[in-house]
Amino acid sequence: MSPIFPGSTDAAGQRATLGVLGGGQLGRMFVHAAQRLGYFTAVLEPDAQSPAGLVSHHHIQTRYDDPAGLAQLAQLCQAITTEFENVPAQALQTLALTCPVAPGAAVVGIAQDRIEEKAHFTAGSDLSGVACAPYAVIETPAQLQAIQNDRDDLLPGILKTARMGYDGKGQVRVKTAAELAAAWAELGSVACVLEKMLPLMAECSVLVARGWDGQAVSYAPQRNVHVDGILAVTHAYEGNMPPTLATRARNAAVSLAQQLGYVGVLCVEFFVVEGDDEHGDLVVNEMAPRPHNSGHYTLDACNVSQFDLQVHAMAGLPLPLPRQHSPAIMLNLLGEVWFDGNGQRREPDWHAVLSLPGTHLHLYGKAEARAGRKMGHLTITGPDVASVKTTARRAAGLLGLPGLDAI
Ligand code: ATP
Ligand code: MG
């Protein structure tokens, strides 16, 4: 793969263009990063008012699997990436026939399917000794019966659909064999995994970027707090978790990217569970084949953001070594922020929030605020961890955010 230089024009007069499949906020921030470097951008997304489509040079408004739309994207672009893992892997395969695609369809296919993903975590991969949670596959009534007969060690557990889950959707917590059977029926008896419910002490994630040439760089792990299955707060500063666990998580994520021959930005999520010592032990949860909500702090707290690295990796540019220059806390802004306690629509008090030192507001351009919908995020940076925490608490209080006690 020869590098695609920003600002270049080919023999036919076409400007160097990077494409993204999907038009959400991750696509929008990718587009911003690509444009800042001097690339033209193209977004394929059916929604006319999507966060990424609104800011891109080109917006191809078709379904993700529309042959004409895909052909147009491949024709416009010198390289293409994806912004959410539920785009059909087949679409990436089609694009790859005529255009470099990063990450590739095969690895996106693994990350799309919890059964394949877990098989990959278990079989033959040495992730610095980090295993995934005990689990079983349920695709047939016989497999359900087998769990009821002799795998009650997995209960209480979480039944998760193998495909199309995100933000805790497609998941049911079950305590007994009867609840498990009911939950599987409720999920439409589709392919699922049952995971043992683990006693979580904390959660963290690691971002890795890997280029076509195998060069890989990574960020230190960030600690994440979820509320109702959705990321609420990310803590990104030295001392956010025990250093030995942080090193292991980082090594495991880099090994995973290398084993997969991954190109682009990969996020690996981990649980910290009670273990042999007071710090606990690491369990790998899942991977996202793209930049991740937990990495948004890199936009304001690092010399290079996760989106910059995605652009560099796919375009074959050198990967700068990420360096964090400020401690940071990221607060997710869900649709609830736009409603008061009585369910009345309100405009959040941005003046008060932006008066606080070190606040960086990012709104994604979504017109309609709905409960649970990711509308934006607020990153707080500062000279030291104590002041960042103080400001984050104030901002969370002003906005009525959940998870205040976790800051
Ligand atoms: P996202 O795409 O937002 O990361 P998801 O829908 O893919 O979420 P998971 O990451 O599998 O879902 O789970 C969501 C959250 O539920 C986790 O971050 C964790 O808080 C909790 N959770 C999931 N699996 C387990 C488990 N085995 N034991 C304890 N808690 C769990
Ligand atoms: Mg997750």
Side-chain angles (χ1 to χ4, degrees):
M1 156 92 191
S2 47
I4 304 152
F5 293 113
S8 59
T9 306
D10 70 11
Q14 189 165 312
R15 310 290 294 266
T17 303
L18 301 180
V20 57
L21 210 50
Q25 60 269 14
L26 297 170
R28 177 183 178 95
M29 290 181 269
F30 162 79
V31 163
H32 285 155
Q35 292 180 343
R36 199 169 56 138
L37 214 53
Y39 291 103
F40 273 48
T41 59
V43 168
L44 188 149
E45 160 65 47
D47 178 3
Q49 295 296 319
S50 71
L54 286 174
V55 296
S56 179
H57 295 94
H58 303 279
H59 176 193
I60 302 165
Q61 207 188 313
T62 66
R63 287 165 44 117
Y64 306 123
D65 55 1
D66 181 76
L70 291 170
Q72 197 188 345
L73 186 67
Q75 195 274 326
L76 273 173
C77 297
Q78 278 71 56
I80 295 167
T81 189
T82 167
E83 65 113 37
F84 76 127
E85 60 266 47
N86 291 334
V87 308
Q90 179 61 45
L92 294 174
Q93 229 154 22
T94 307
L95 291 168
L97 296 174
T98 52
C99 188
V101 172
V107 46
V108 173
I110 295 173
Q112 267 177 356
D113 188 315
R114 286 188 201 276
I115 297 174
E116 285 191 41
E117 185 178 55
K118 286 200 157 32
H120 186 85
F121 288 153
T122 341
S125 45
D126 175 24
L127 303 178
S128 304
V130 180
C132 65
Y135 75 100
V137 172
I138 303 179
E139 290 177 298
T140 62
Q143 283 169 321
L144 177 70
Q145 192 60 54
I147 291 172
Q148 291 172 325
N149 293 346
D150 52 31
R151 286 296 316 261
D152 57 6
D153 61 301
L154 293 176
L155 295 171
I158 307 188
L159 185 67
K160 304 180 177 182
T161 58
R163 302 181 71 85
M164 301 303 272
Y166 68 98
D167 289 346
K169 294 190 175 66
Q171 300 196 4
V172 187
R173 295 177 179 220
V174 291
K175 289 200 200 70
T176 61
E179 281 181 23
L180 172 63
W184 193 51
E186 187 192 319
L187 291 173
S189 305
V190 296
C192 285
V193 296
L194 174 67
E195 243 178 76
K196 186 179 173 66
M197 177 75 81
L198 299 175
L200 305 192
M201 294 169 69
E203 297 188 61
C204 70
S205 54
V206 177
L207 292 153
V208 184
R210 185 176 176 279
W212 297 95
D213 60 358
Q215 186 208 354
V217 297
S218 60
Y219 295 88
Q222 49 276 350
R223 184 162 58 82
N224 302 320
V225 179
H226 293 79
V227 175
D228 297 332
I230 306 182
L231 182 65
V233 183
T234 293
H235 296 260
Y237 43 79
E238 224 174 295
N240 63 352
M241 55 186 290
T244 47
L245 288 184
T247 305
R248 273 183 74 205
R250 198 165 175 175
N251 290 343
V254 173
S255 321
L256 192 59
Q258 294 291 8
Q259 280 165 21
L260 291 165
Y262 193 89
V263 180
V265 171
L266 176 73
C267 182
V268 187
E269 294 179 24
F270 297 91
F271 298 140
V272 180
V273 297
E274 283 159 19
D276 295 340
D277 70 54
E278 52 173 334
H279 294 321
D281 205 357
L282 273 182
V283 167
V284 59
N285 174 24
E286 58 173 357
M287 57 182 173
R290 49 171 174 75
H292 194 260
N293 195 168
S294 63
H296 290 353
Y297 76 91
T298 61
L299 286 164
D300 300 301
C302 298
N303 62 327
V304 56
S305 78
Q306 59 171 347
F307 303 101
D308 295 328
L309 288 178
Q310 185 182 25
V311 171
H312 279 243
M314 72 189 285
L317 301 181
L319 296 180
L321 202 62
R323 181 177 54 79
Q324 186 169 350
H325 52 68
S326 305
I329 291 178
M330 190 235 33
L331 305 173
N332 251 355
L333 304 177
L334 304 182
E336 283 86 341
V337 171
W338 279 257
F339 294 91
D340 67 16
N342 302 319
Q344 290 299 311
R345 182 97 161 69
R346 65 158 184 209
E347 213 43 50
D349 188 353
W350 298 131
H351 189 272
V353 169
L354 295 173
S355 300
L356 299 172
T359 49
H360 311 264
L361 178 64
H362 300 254
L363 295 181
Y364 307 145
K366 299 180 183 177
E368 195 198 337
R370 285 195 302 269
R373 189 175 199 205
K374 290 178 178 169
M375 302 296 289
H377 68 271
L378 184 77
T379 301
I380 296 99
T381 59
D384 52 63
V385 176
S387 61
V388 168
K389 284 189 179 176
T390 302
T391 306
R393 268 188 222 111
R394 284 207 191 119
L398 283 168
L399 293 167
L401 296 177
L404 246 183
D405 49 342
I407 300 171

